[in-house]
C-alpha cells in the first residue's frame, strides 16, 4: 500500500485528497506557492513544502520542483488532482523515471488520449461512436478547410492537445472558417504551447454526458453511471448532476458499455471519465477522455456510495477492484454547483480578495468541498472556484429544493461570488423541467437581457 502521498495541487481538491489519505492511514505532503503559505491544504497536511513564487508556471506547473519535493520528503506517490499537471504526459513519465507512483494512468495512455485525433481513432477501432470529423490533425487553414468539408458544416475547431474549453471555435459556414481557425489556433498556442488543431462536425444543442470509469491493473473495468454536465458557460461547467434526466436504463447500459470499451481500448488504469455528446434522439458520440479525477466527482460518490479518491489510492497501490459492475447500484439524485469568486453582473469579472466573513450550509444531504475560511486571502493567480456545494435527495425534485435552500444560506463576505447566479439557474423553469442542453446558459442570459438581469434571489 502507498505510505506517503505528495499532493501536486492546491485548493479544495488538495484538501479532499488529504482527508481521504488521513482516513486510510496514509501520510501526506502538501506543496504550495509563496502566496499559498496560509492555505488550508498546507495546514492540514502532515508536511508542507514551498515550491516557488505565486505564478503557476513557477510553482504548481514546475515539474522539477515537485519531483524534488517528493524525493526530499520521502513520499512514494504523487496525486495530481485536476488541472495543473494532472494530464501532463511528461510529468507522469518523470514520475515513472524516478520510481514515484503517479496516481493516475501511465504516461503513454495520457499522451495517447490527450491527443484528440489519436483518441478518436482509438475509439473508432473499439467500436465507440464518434463525431464525424477529419481523420488527421491539421496545422494550417487550407488543410483545416479540407477537414471541415469532409466533416460537414457546421464544424468545431479544437486544439488537438487542449482541454478546458480553450482553443475551441465554431464555424457554422465556410466563410467563417478562416477567422475561427486562426483565433482557435492562436489561443491553443498561448494556452498549450502547441498549434495542432482538429476539425469535427458540430453537434448542435446536445447534452454533455460523461461516464465515470474505474480500472485496475488486472483488466477489470467498471463504470459508475453518468453525470449531466450540460450547464456550462464558455465551455466551463457550472452545474453537474447524476443521474441525467435524459438517460433511460437502456441508454445508460449502452453508454456505460461504450465507456468501458473505450477505457479497455486505451489500456486505462485508475479513475477516468469518458465524455459524450448526446442528441435528443438518443444518438451519442465520444468527445474526449479525461485521464484524471473530475471536479464533479462528488455527485457520483453520492449516488453510488463509492469514494473515488480512496479507490484511486487503492488502484495505484496495485490492489484489484473490490467490486464488479453488478455490485454498483444507483440511488437518489445529486447536484453540484460550483461557487466561484466572480461577478456575473460584470461579465463574470474575477473577484480575488480577503474573505471577511462566511457561513456555509450543512444538514442532511448537504456537502461542501472547499479550502476557504474567514480571513482567507483569495489569490488572483489561480482558478476562481472557491467551493463546491453538493446536495443529495431521494429524487431530482428534492435535490433541486435542497440546493435552493443551501444556496440561500451561503454567506461569503468581502468578495463577489456567483451564488445568486447559481440560485437563478436552479429556479429557471427549463432547468426545473430537465429540458436542458449545452446552450442553456446562453438562452437564460439572452432572456435576462431581454427583460432585466437579476442574478439575485
Amino acid at each position: 500500500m502507498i505510505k506517503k502521498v505528495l499532493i501536486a495541487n492546491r485548493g479544495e481538491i488538495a484538501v479532499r485528497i488529504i482527508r481521504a489519505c488521513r482516513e486510510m492511514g496514509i501520510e501526506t505532503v502538501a506543496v504550495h506557492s509563496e502566496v499559498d503559505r496560509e492555505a488550508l491544504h498546507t495546514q492540514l497536511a502532515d508536511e508542507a513544502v514551498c515550491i516557488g513564487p505565486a505564478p503557476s508556471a513557477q510553482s504548481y506547473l514546475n515539474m522539477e520542483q515537485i519531483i524534488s519535493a517528493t524525493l526530499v520528503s520521502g513520499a512514494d506517490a504523487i496525486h495530481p488532482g485536476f488541472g495543473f499537471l494532472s494530464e501532463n504526459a511528461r510529468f507522469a513519465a518523470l514520475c515513472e523515471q524516478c520510481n514515484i507512483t503517479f496516481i493516475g494512468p501511465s504516461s503513454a495512455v495520457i499522451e495517447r488520449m490527450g491527443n484528440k485525433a489519436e483518441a478518436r481513432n482509438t475509439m473508432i477501432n473499439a467500436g465507440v461512436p464518434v463525431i464525424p470529423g477529419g481523420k488527421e490533425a491539421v496545422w494550417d487553414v487550407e488543410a483545416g478547410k479540407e477537414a471541415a468539408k469532409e466533416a460537414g458544416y457546421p464544424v468545431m475547431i479544437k486544439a488537438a492537445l487542449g482541454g478546458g474549453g480553450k482553443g475551441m471555435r465554431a464555424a457554422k459556414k465556410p466563410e467563417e472558417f478562416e477567422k475561427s481557425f486562426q483565433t482557435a489556433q492562436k489561443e491553443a498556442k498561448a494556452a498549450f504551447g502547441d498549434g495542432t488543431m482538429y476539425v469535427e462536425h458540430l453537434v448542435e444543442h446536445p447534452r454533455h454526458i460523461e461516464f465515470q470509469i474505474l480500472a485496475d491493473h488486472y483488466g477489470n473495468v467498471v463504470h459508475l453511471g453518468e453525470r449531466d454536465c450540460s450547464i456550462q458557460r464558455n465551455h466551463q461547467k457550472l452545474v453537474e448532476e447524476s443521474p441525467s434526466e435524459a438517460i433511460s436504463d437502456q441508454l445508460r447500459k449502452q453508454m456505460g458499455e461504450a465507456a468501458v470499451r473505450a477505457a479497455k481500448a486505451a489500456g486505462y488504469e485508475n479513475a477516468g471519465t469518458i465524455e459524450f455528446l448526446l442528441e435528443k434522439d438518443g444518438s451519442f458520440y465520444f468527445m474526449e477522455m479525461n485521464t484524471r479525477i473530475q471536479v464533479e466527482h462528488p455527485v457520483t460518490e453520492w449516488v453510488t456510495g463509492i469514494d473515488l479518491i480512496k479507490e484511486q489510492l487503492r488502484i495505484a497501490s496495485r490492489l484489484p477492484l473490490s467490486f464488479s459492475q453488478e455490485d454498483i447500484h444507483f440511488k437518489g439524485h445529486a447536484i453540484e454547483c460550483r461557487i466561484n469568486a466572480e461577478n456575473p453582473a460584470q461579465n463574470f469579472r474575477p473577484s480575488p480578495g480577503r474573505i471577511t466573513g462566511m457561513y456555509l450550509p450543512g444538514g442532511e444531504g448537504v456537502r461542501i468541498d472547499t479550502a476557504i475560511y474567514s480571513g482567507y486571502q483569495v489569490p488572483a493567480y489561480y482558478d476562481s472556484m472557491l467551493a463546491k456545494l453538493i446536495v443529495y435527495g431521494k429524487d431530482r425534485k428534492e435535490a433541486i429544493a435542497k440546493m435552493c435552500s443551501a444556496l440561500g444560506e451561503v454567506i461569503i463576505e468581502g468578495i463577489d461570488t456567483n451564488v445568486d447566479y447559481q440560485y437563478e439557474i436552479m429556479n429557471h423553469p427549463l432547468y426545473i423541467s430537465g429540458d436542458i442542453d449545452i446552450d442553456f446558459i446562453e438562452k437564460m442570459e439572452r432572456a435576462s437581457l431581454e427583460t432585466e438581469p437579476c442574478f439575485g434571489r
Side-chain angles (χ1 to χ4, degrees), residues 144-453:
K145 285 179 178 177
E146 288 302 312
K149 193 183 298 182
E150 184 179 346
Y153 283 92
V155 298
M156 179 65 81
I157 303 153
K158 294 182 176 180
L161 303 180
K166 294 182 174 64
M168 291 174 63
R169 287 293 183 280
K172 298 202 171 182
K173 43 193 177 182
E175 47 267 37
E176 295 176 3
F177 185 86
E178 186 166 339
K179 183 180 178 182
S180 296
F181 183 92
Q182 290 171 344
T183 303
Q185 188 173 54
K186 183 178 179 181
E187 191 175 281
K189 287 178 179 176
F192 313 112
D194 189 289
T196 310
M197 306 305 290
Y198 179 75
V199 180
E200 65 185 20
H201 180 69
L202 174 61
V203 181
E204 296 192 276
H205 312 299
R207 285 185 186 244
H208 182 153
I209 304 291
E210 60 187 29
F211 270 71
Q212 177 71 55
I213 60 99
L214 286 173
D216 64 19
H217 293 268
Y218 309 100
N220 302 306
V221 183
V222 298
H223 77 82
L224 284 81
E226 81 279 3
R227 297 185 288 257
D228 196 322
C229 305
S230 302
I231 308 297
Q232 47 188 268
R233 187 178 184 279
N234 294 336
H235 307 292
Q236 299 294 315
K237 298 168 187 171
L238 289 172
V239 177
E240 301 95 354
E241 61 183 294
S242 182
S244 170
E245 285 288 276
I247 306 288
S248 64
D249 289 343
Q250 180 58 34
L251 184 54
R252 181 174 298 110
K253 185 173 185 294
Q254 284 180 262
M255 295 181 76
E257 288 173 351
V260 168
R261 283 202 308 276
K264 287 183 175 180
Y268 201 81
E269 293 163 357
N270 216 269
T273 307
I274 310 296
E275 306 215 357
F276 296 105
L277 291 180
L278 174 68
E279 295 192 283
K280 291 187 186 299
D281 66 359
S283 302
F284 63 92
Y285 308 99
F286 170 81
M287 184 168 56
E288 63 183 1
M289 182 175 195
N290 286 314
T291 54
R292 54 173 167 79
I293 195 71
Q294 293 276 84
V295 175
E296 56 273 19
H297 74 271
V299 296
T300 295
E301 293 182 325
W302 228 327
V303 298
T304 61
I306 293 170
D307 187 315
L308 290 173
I309 303 295
K310 288 182 179 178
E311 290 304 320
Q312 282 193 290
L313 292 163
R314 292 188 182 104
I315 292 168
S317 297
R318 305 194 80 82
L319 296 174
L321 287 176
S322 58
F323 47 81
S324 65
Q325 191 67 57
E326 291 69 33
D327 298 321
I328 299 167
H329 303 286
F330 308 105
K331 184 180 179 183
H333 198 97
I335 302 173
E336 174 180 295
C337 284
R338 302 190 188 191
I339 308 302
N340 300 330
E342 59 190 12
N343 189 328
Q346 295 185 21
N347 197 30
F348 295 83
R349 185 184 67 190
S351 180
R354 187 169 299 281
I355 295 174
T356 56
M358 59 179 276
Y359 173 80
L360 299 177
E364 179 67 25
V366 177
R367 168 177 167 178
I368 296 274
D369 281 18
T370 189
I372 63 173
Y373 53 86
S374 188
Y376 175 65
Q377 179 75 29
V378 179
Y381 298 93
Y382 313 116
D383 185 86
S384 65
M385 189 170 71
L386 298 171
K388 301 181 318 200
L389 175 56
I390 314 106
V391 300
Y392 175 81
K394 68 178 186 295
D395 54 29
R396 189 170 187 266
K397 183 179 179 181
E398 182 177 278
I400 292 173
K402 194 165 288 191
M403 180 61 81
C404 288
S405 175
L407 285 166
E409 292 184 29
V410 174
I411 298 172
I412 302 175
E413 298 175 334
I415 60 172
D416 296 323
T417 75
N418 68 335
V419 170
D420 290 347
Y421 188 83
Q422 290 283 22
Y423 190 88
E424 187 171 349
I425 292 171
M426 288 295 115
N427 283 278
H428 196 284
L430 279 180
Y431 181 77
I432 292 170
S433 73
D435 184 17
I436 58 174
D437 57 42
I438 62 171
D439 300 308
F440 170 86
I441 291 294
E442 186 181 333
K443 294 173 190 172
M444 186 182 89
E445 292 188 347
R446 193 186 309 126
S448 291
L449 288 172
E450 288 169 359
T451 55
E452 182 182 347

